[in-house]
Amino acid sequence: MISREPTLERLTTARSLLLEPYGVDETALARALTTNGEHRIDDADLYFQYTRTEGWSLEEGIVKSGSFGIDQGVGVRAVTGEKTAFAYSDDISEAALFDAARTVRTIAAAGQSRRVRLGAKPRVAGSRTLYAPTDPIATLDSGQKVALLEKVEKLARARDPRIVQVMAGLASEYDVVMVARADGLLAADVRPLVRLSVTVIAEQAGRREVGTGGGGGRFGLGYFHDTIIASYVDQAVNAALTNLESRPAPAGEMTVVLGPGWPGVLLHEAVGHGLEGDFNRKGSSAFSGRIGQRVAAKGVTVLDDGTIADRRGSLNVDDEGCATQRNVLIEDGVLKGYMQDTLNARLTRVGPTGNGRRESYAHVPMPRMTNTYMLAGDKTKDEIVASVKRGLYATNFGGGQVDITSGKFVFSASEAFWIENGRIQYPVKGATLIGNGPDVLTRVAMIGNDLQLDTGVGTCGKEGQSVPVGVGQPTLRIDGLTVGGTA
C-alpha cells in the first residue's frame, strides 16, 4: 500500500470537507486574501473549520443524555499594527467568503501600516504527525459507547458499598482545520479528541463526599480499555472515600507539598498565563520585561510543549498554521522567553512559538498554552514528605482564580492530607492555597523525580475562549505558602 505524505493527506481531507462541497478552490482563497489586503495591512489569514461532536452521559444506570452536532465556517482576519479586523461566517460559499473579506477590508481601511506581501508563491506547512487523523466518533458504535459507560458504573459500585451514585460521561470530537495565510502558507490539521469522565458520590453516616476521575487525548475511543477505565474509577472512588475520612484543614503559613500530575494546574494558572506574549507586550504581566532575570528557585525549569504525541494540548500546527514547539520558558530559575502568536511576535520582533490558538473559526487567535509542565528534579516523594515537620500535602485541585497583573492566586484543594513529623497523618478538607505566582516559584525548596502529566482533562479559559490543554509537574515542596482552612 502506498501512503501519502501526512501533511498532504491532511490537506486532502480538509479540501474534501471545507472547500470542494461548496465550489471553493485555492484560487478563490488567494483572491479573498488579495481583497482582504487592498489596504495597508501587516498580516491576513483565512481559517476554515469543520467540527463534529458527540456526547453521552449515564447516571443511575440510565443514559441521561446524548448529543451530536456539526459546526463549520470560516474566519477572515486582517492585522494592522496591533489592531485586528475580523469577520466570520458559518456559510463556506465563495460569496460569503468574499463578503467577509470585504467587511474586513472596510474595517482595516483606516490602518496606517505596511502592506503585507500578497500573492506569494504557495507553500505547504512542514510535515509532522503527532496523532493519527482518526474520526473518534466512528471508532465505537452507539451500543459499545453505552456499554463502556455501564462498565464504569458497575466497576465503581463494586469497589465499595459506600458508593451511592455514579455519573459517567463520554465525549468525542473530530476537528478539521485549514489555514491560508497571505504569505502563501497553506496548512491543515485533523484533530481527534476524546474524554471519559467519572464522578462518584460516597455516603457514610449521613455524610456525602464527591470524587472525580477521567482522562483522554487525541486518539480513538479504543484507548479506553479495561485497565484505563479501572484507573479512572479507582481515582474517583479513592478521592470520595478519602474525603469521607477528612478533617477540617488547618490555616496559616506553612510548608506545602504538591503532588505530581494534575496539581500542575496551579503552575498553569499562577505562572503560565503570565508568560503569554500578549500580556507581556502590554506590560500587564508580573513577568513583563524580565527575560534573562531569575524568577524562580534554582532547579525550576518550566516548558510549554505542543509536540507531545497524542496529548490533549498538542497540535501538529497551531491555529495560525505555525508548527507547535517545545518552548523552554524558565530554565534553572531564569526566565528565557514567552509564548507567542504571530501578532505579538511581530510587534516584539521575535519569532512565533506555535502558540496561536482560537476556540473556533468564530474567534480571533491569541497566545495560549498547550502542554505546560515543570521538569523533574532528583528527590523522591518520600524524601520530600519526610522533610516536612508540619504542613499540607495537596494531591488534587478544584477551581481557582488568578490575577495576571499581580500574579495573585487562590486555589482550592479537592484532596489533601496533613503532614506531621515527616509522615502523612490524615486527610483534610477545605484547604485553600493563597499566594503570588512569581513569588511561589522562588519558594520551591525540593523537586521530585516523579514528573507526571495529567490524564488529559484540562480546558483553559481566556477572554471568553476555551481550548484543550495539558499540565504536569513532579512532586514539589514549597515553603511559606499561605493556606486558608476551616479548622
Side-chain angles (χ1 to χ4, degrees):
M1 185 178 76
I2 299 174
S3 61
R4 290 194 187 200
E5 193 278 334
T7 299
L8 297 180
E9 185 73 36
R10 290 193 290 268
L11 279 169
T12 298
T13 300
R15 289 187 185 104
S16 69
L17 285 171
L18 294 164
L19 302 184
E20 293 167 4
Y22 311 102
V24 178
D25 59 20
E26 284 163 33
T27 302
L29 305 190
R31 293 203 312 272
L33 285 167
T34 300
T35 299
N36 203 357
E38 287 178 356
H39 293 281
R40 299 177 67 84
I41 61 174
D42 291 311
D43 199 4
D45 61 20
L46 311 174
Y47 183 84
F48 296 85
Q49 183 177 32
Y50 170 92
T51 304
R52 189 164 66 243
T53 58
E54 183 185 80
W56 297 83
S57 68
L58 180 141
E59 185 176 345
E60 297 299 321
I62 301 171
V63 176
K64 289 287 187 179
S65 66
S67 62
F68 181 84
I70 296 176
D71 191 19
Q72 61 186 26
V74 58
V76 181
R77 178 178 67 142
V79 181
T80 301
E82 62 180 66
K83 299 184 183 302
T84 296
F86 180 74
Y88 70 91
S89 172
D90 58 8
D91 176 10
I92 310 180
S93 65
E94 193 166 315
L97 179 62
F98 278 91
D99 185 44
R102 284 189 291 270
T103 301
V104 167
R105 178 186 64 188
T106 302
I107 297 170
Q112 299 297 318
S113 190
R114 66 177 178 85
R115 181 188 293 276
V116 68
R117 184 183 173 220
L118 297 167
K121 183 178 179 180
R123 57 192 176 89
V124 174
S127 176
R128 71 195 315 184
T129 303
L130 300 176
Y131 35 82
T134 304
D135 177 359
I137 297 173
T139 55
L140 293 179
D141 63 33
S142 297
Q144 291 171 314
K145 293 166 186 172
V146 172
L148 191 157
L149 294 176
E150 290 174 338
K151 181 181 292 185
V152 168
E153 183 182 48
K154 183 178 179 181
L155 282 173
R157 289 188 180 278
R159 286 289 189 270
D160 194 283
R162 290 172 290 178
I163 301 300
V164 296
Q165 191 170 354
V166 181
M167 292 152 282
L170 188 64
S172 307
E173 179 178 290
Y174 178 63
D175 192 33
V176 180
V177 303
M178 174 183 279
V179 184
R181 297 185 59 83
D183 61 5
L185 179 70
L186 191 64
D189 203 3
V190 179
R191 302 168 176 170
L193 189 64
V194 298
R195 178 176 172 177
L196 175 62
S197 58
V198 185
T199 301
V200 303
I201 297 176
E203 184 174 9
Q204 177 177 273
R207 177 177 177 175
R208 286 193 162 205
E209 296 291 350
V210 176
T212 60
R218 297 198 179 277
F219 31 67
L221 294 170
Y223 173 80
F224 299 122
H225 54 76
D226 288 353
T227 302
I228 292 293
I229 294 171
S231 70
Y232 295 163
V233 168
D234 286 346
Q235 181 183 15
V237 170
N238 290 342
L241 297 181
T242 295
N243 282 328
L244 280 178
E245 308 297 330
S246 62
R247 308 179 192 179
E253 185 176 291
M254 64 186 71
T255 298
V256 173
V257 176
L258 301 180
W262 178 247
V265 68
L266 189 147
L267 180 76
H268 168 104
E269 295 288 1
V271 178
H273 279 299
L275 297 177
E276 291 169 336
D278 48 354
F279 296 128
N280 287 281
R281 176 179 63 81
K282 297 171 185 177
S284 59
S285 167
F287 292 99
S288 296
R290 301 188 65 187
I291 296 289
Q293 296 181 20
R294 176 165 297 283
V295 296
K298 287 186 68 64
V300 172
T301 296
V302 178
L303 282 70
D304 183 85
D305 188 353
T307 70
I308 308 173
D310 298 330
R311 293 295 304 178
R312 181 174 170 86
S314 295
L315 300 169
N316 286 310
V317 293
D318 71 5
D319 294 326
E320 298 181 296
C322 301
T324 52
Q325 300 178 23
R326 183 180 186 271
N327 299 300
V328 178
L329 306 175
I330 299 172
E331 185 173 26
D332 198 21
V334 176
L335 182 59
K336 292 295 184 180
Y338 307 122
M339 292 166 277
Q340 304 286 1
D341 62 352
T342 57
L343 184 154
N344 289 281
R346 173 176 49 80
L347 292 173
T348 54
R349 295 182 174 83
V350 297
T353 60
N355 289 93
R357 304 191 64 186
R358 59 180 109 196
E359 180 176 321
S360 76
Y361 67 87
H363 300 82
V364 296
M366 64 181 81
R368 305 293 299 272
M369 284 172 274
T370 58
N371 304 298
T372 310
Y373 57 96
M374 183 187 297
L375 293 186
D378 60 357
K379 305 299 182 184
T380 67
K381 184 199 86 169
D382 290 344
E383 286 178 309
I384 294 174
V385 171
S387 72
V388 179
K389 184 171 180 58
R390 289 171 56 86
L392 190 76
Y393 177 37
T395 56
N396 206 353
F397 284 99
Q401 294 181 332
V402 181
D403 183 300
I404 300 300
T405 302
S406 66
K408 293 179 180 178
F409 64 81
V410 178
F411 266 90
S412 60
S414 59
E415 186 176 12
F417 302 83
W418 180 246
I419 302 173
E420 195 161 327
N421 296 322
R423 293 181 178 274
I424 296 173
Q425 300 294 323
Y426 49 82
V428 296
K429 186 179 181 182
T432 301
L433 305 190
I434 304 166
N436 176 287
D439 178 63
V440 161
L441 287 183
T442 67
R443 295 175 179 268
V444 175
M446 298 177 75
I447 303 174
N449 60 5
D450 55 351
L451 168 64
Q452 292 180 23
L453 300 179
D454 75 290
T455 55
V457 297
T459 298
C460 173
K462 178 180 176 181
E463 296 183 20
Q465 294 192 42
S466 296
V467 296
V469 297
V471 300
Q473 67 175 41
T475 299
L476 297 178
R477 170 179 158 171
I478 302 174
D479 291 342
L481 191 59
T482 300
V483 176
T486 53

